[in-house]
Every structure is written in C-alpha cells, then in structure tokens.
Amino acid sequence: MNNYDAIYAAVKRIPAGRVSSYGRVARLAGLPGAARLVGYALHALRDQGDQTVPWWRVVNHTGFISNAYEAELQAALLEAEGVVVSPAHRIDLRHYVWEGVLDDA
DNA sequence: CAACTGACTGCCG
DNA sequence: CCGGCAGCCAGTT
C-alpha cells in the first residue's frame, strides 16, 4: 500500500453531490500536509485512464477548481451530480464540502 | 545528489 | 478573499 493508494481510497469515500479539498483528502489518507501529493496522484490518474476514482470531487481549500487540464470537464461532472459551480469555476464549500465519515450520518 | 516543478495549504497583513 | 512566503511529497532534469 503506497501513498497513492491511500489517496485514491480517500477520494472514493467522497459521496456523490459533495466535494472535498486536497488537504482534507490528504488528512483522510493519513498524509497530513501532503496536499500537493494528492494533486500529483490525481494527475497520474489522467495518464492511467483510471475511471474508478471520482477525482472531480476534489477542489482546493477556497472551493476553486485548480485543475490545470480538465477544469471545464470537472465543473460539468460536478453539476451533473447536483453541485452548483459558478461561472468562475468556484463552489460554495459551506454547502457542498464533505467533512468526513461523520458527515454521512 | 542538488535543483526545479506541480491538480496545495497555513500563516501574516 | 487576495498576495506573498515557506513547507510539503514525488518525479524529472
């Protein structure tokens, strides 16, 4: 089990219609402070063509889509799940952020 | 092996 | 929230 797997596992826990931040995912994955690594891991998914990880539910801590490659696609996928994305690719975290397992119940 | 870079974040103002 | 600065991990040069 390397760090990437832990990150992917954490991302898979994010419920549809919700979002989480890189830092939060890193923490859930047991890698506090490795926010950049999360972005790096998700970037790798692109090349690997892995469709099992909901990477589009991950945005930065301000609710902005920092995806440098498929920002438009990410915004579209989120809206498809019911998440409101502003024209500037921004999301209201107060309403959509997934705090963790406690947030499910 | 050192330096650079990137889908980031917290602290200060 | 915006801008600047340092810390963070892994892969490249």
Side-chain angles (χ1 to χ4, degrees):
Chain A
M1 166 76 87
N2 52 37
N3 295 339
Y4 281 21
D5 293 324
I7 291 173
Y8 298 147
V11 175
K12 289 179 182 176
R13 293 212 278 289
I14 305 175
R18 288 298 196 75
V19 300
S20 191
S21 68
Y22 294 91
R24 216 175 282 282
V25 170
R27 203 172 216 336
L28 290 175
L31 302 168
R36 303 194 67 149
L37 191 56
V38 174
Y40 201 79
L42 296 186
H43 174 211
L45 286 177
R46 257 181 98 263
D47 304 323
Q48 295 167 21
D50 190 322
Q51 304 300 329
T52 68
V53 181
W55 56 268
W56 58 89
R57 294 179 193 154
V58 185
V59 296
N60 72 14
H61 73 122
T62 66
F64 178 74
I65 297 178
S66 42
N67 184 327
Y69 303 88
E70 307 290 326
E72 291 295 337
L73 172 61
Q74 179 166 1
L77 289 170
L78 285 173
E79 295 209 333
E81 296 184 338
V83 177
V84 177
V85 182
S86 81
H89 290 169
R90 294 186 43 154
I91 300 168
D92 184 350
L93 291 182
R94 295 180 311 171
H95 191 63
Y96 296 106
V97 72
W98 179 62
E99 299 294 350
V101 200
L102 301 174
D103 202 32
D104 284 324

